[in-house]
Amino acid sequence: MIRVLIADDQALMRAGFRALLDAEEDLEVVGEATDGTSAVHLSRCLRPDVVLMDVQMPGLDGIEATRRIAADADLAAVRVLILTNYGLDSYVFTALRAGASGFLLKDADPADLLHAISVVARGDALLAPTVTRTLISEFVAGPPPAVPTAGRDVLTPREQEIVELVARGLTNEEIAGRMVISPLTAKTHVNRAMTKLHCRDRAQLVVWAYESGLITPRRR
């Protein structure tokens, strides 16, 4: 059973999400938050597996709420899935840097939302690869940081190659095919890299890959 907290300031949106999730046998809505402050508070009280987090909310916005949840050691198991009405914009990468595990538009198909919750809950993927690649193309196509993030030396050459493929938007299965290894071995390499770099999940691994200068975005 995946326990979900819905954080959105619009009552109609919360009701729609709840109706969708309540119809699933393996999902349980454990609470609803109307702003970022209550989202953080309820996350601490209810310990959901996934928080569906709206970005634009009064008071504390979804990005700052995500940052506070991700920074709380007691909430290490809580994953945040960012939801927004808007198209891809610069705040998305900011949200991932803050600790979000995924990003989805509110007009996505219900099946896509259900799949995203499942994926984020188990920490196996950032987003659908096509969305990840669009995100990378749009928001990190600038110059690398002037001062690269430390930590590259803790990875073996093999692990650096794996992290690069993750940051390019490849799934474990695609990585396995590219490197001629099993998906389980690919997942083991990814998990080992996350452990070494103290990344919560694949989303943080993507952020690290670009901020460390391990890879540089391809300009269009």
Side-chain angles (χ1 to χ4, degrees), residues 2 14 17 37 46 52-53 57-58 79 99 114-115 117 129 133 135 143 148 151 158 160 168 201 218:
I2 300 174
R14 294 197 308 274
F17 288 136
T37 300
L46 301 173
L52 296 184
M53 183 78 75
M57 292 188 290
R79 298 288 180 257
L114 297 175
H115 176 68
I117 292 173
R133 290 169 188 141
L135 173 69
R158 183 80 158 177
Q160 290 191 30
R168 295 294 183 195
D201 50 31
R218 301 184 182 118

Side-chain angles (χ1 to χ4, degrees), residues 69-72 75-80 99-101 123 194 198-205:
I69 291 172
D72 191 331
L75 301 179
V78 177
R79 298 288 180 257
V80 178
S101 296
M194 288 193 294
H198 307 290
C199 293
R200 284 165 54 96
D201 50 31
R202 291 172 74 103
Q204 297 302 295
L205 203 58

Side-chain angles (χ1 to χ4, degrees), residues 8-81:
D8 196 302
D9 62 322
Q10 299 182 36
L12 187 59
M13 293 302 301
R14 294 197 308 274
F17 288 136
R18 176 179 279 276
L20 174 64
L21 302 186
D22 281 344
E24 300 298 313
E25 294 182 355
D26 59 344
L27 297 176
E28 177 187 8
V29 176
V30 296
E32 298 181 15
T34 58
D35 55 33
T37 300
S38 59
V40 176
H41 173 70
L42 289 176
S43 292
R44 290 170 176 160
C45 294
L46 301 173
R47 305 297 173 90
D49 298 306
V50 176
V51 180
L52 296 184
M53 183 78 75
D54 186 25
V55 172
Q56 302 292 337
M57 292 188 290
L60 194 70
D61 64 25
I63 292 178
E64 181 57 31
T66 297
R67 184 176 291 110
R68 296 187 186 186
I69 291 172
D72 191 331
D74 291 336
L75 301 179
V78 177
R79 298 288 180 257
V80 178
L81 176 60

Side-chain angles (χ1 to χ4, degrees), residues 152-198:
R152 288 175 58 179
D153 56 341
V154 305
L155 298 179
T156 66
R158 183 80 158 177
E159 289 166 348
Q160 290 191 30
E161 184 178 1
I162 291 282
V163 172
E164 177 179 350
L165 294 177
V166 170
R168 295 294 183 195
L170 274 66
T171 64
N172 288 340
E173 289 73 18
E174 290 171 329
I175 292 172
R178 180 77 63 88
M179 300 187 70
V180 195
I181 57 178
S182 72
L184 179 59
T185 299
K187 182 176 181 179
T188 298
H189 282 303
V190 171
N191 290 340
R192 188 173 298 143
M194 288 193 294
T195 299
K196 288 184 175 181
L197 298 171
H198 307 290

Side-chain angles (χ1 to χ4, degrees), residues 94-132:
T94 302
L96 295 175
R97 185 182 291 113
S101 296
F103 171 81
L104 198 67
L105 295 177
K106 287 183 177 179
D107 62 359
D109 290 338
D112 290 337
L113 174 58
L114 297 175
H115 176 68
I117 292 173
S118 177
V119 166
V120 169
R122 67 176 184 260
D124 281 347
L126 166 63
L127 293 166
T130 53
V131 177
T132 304

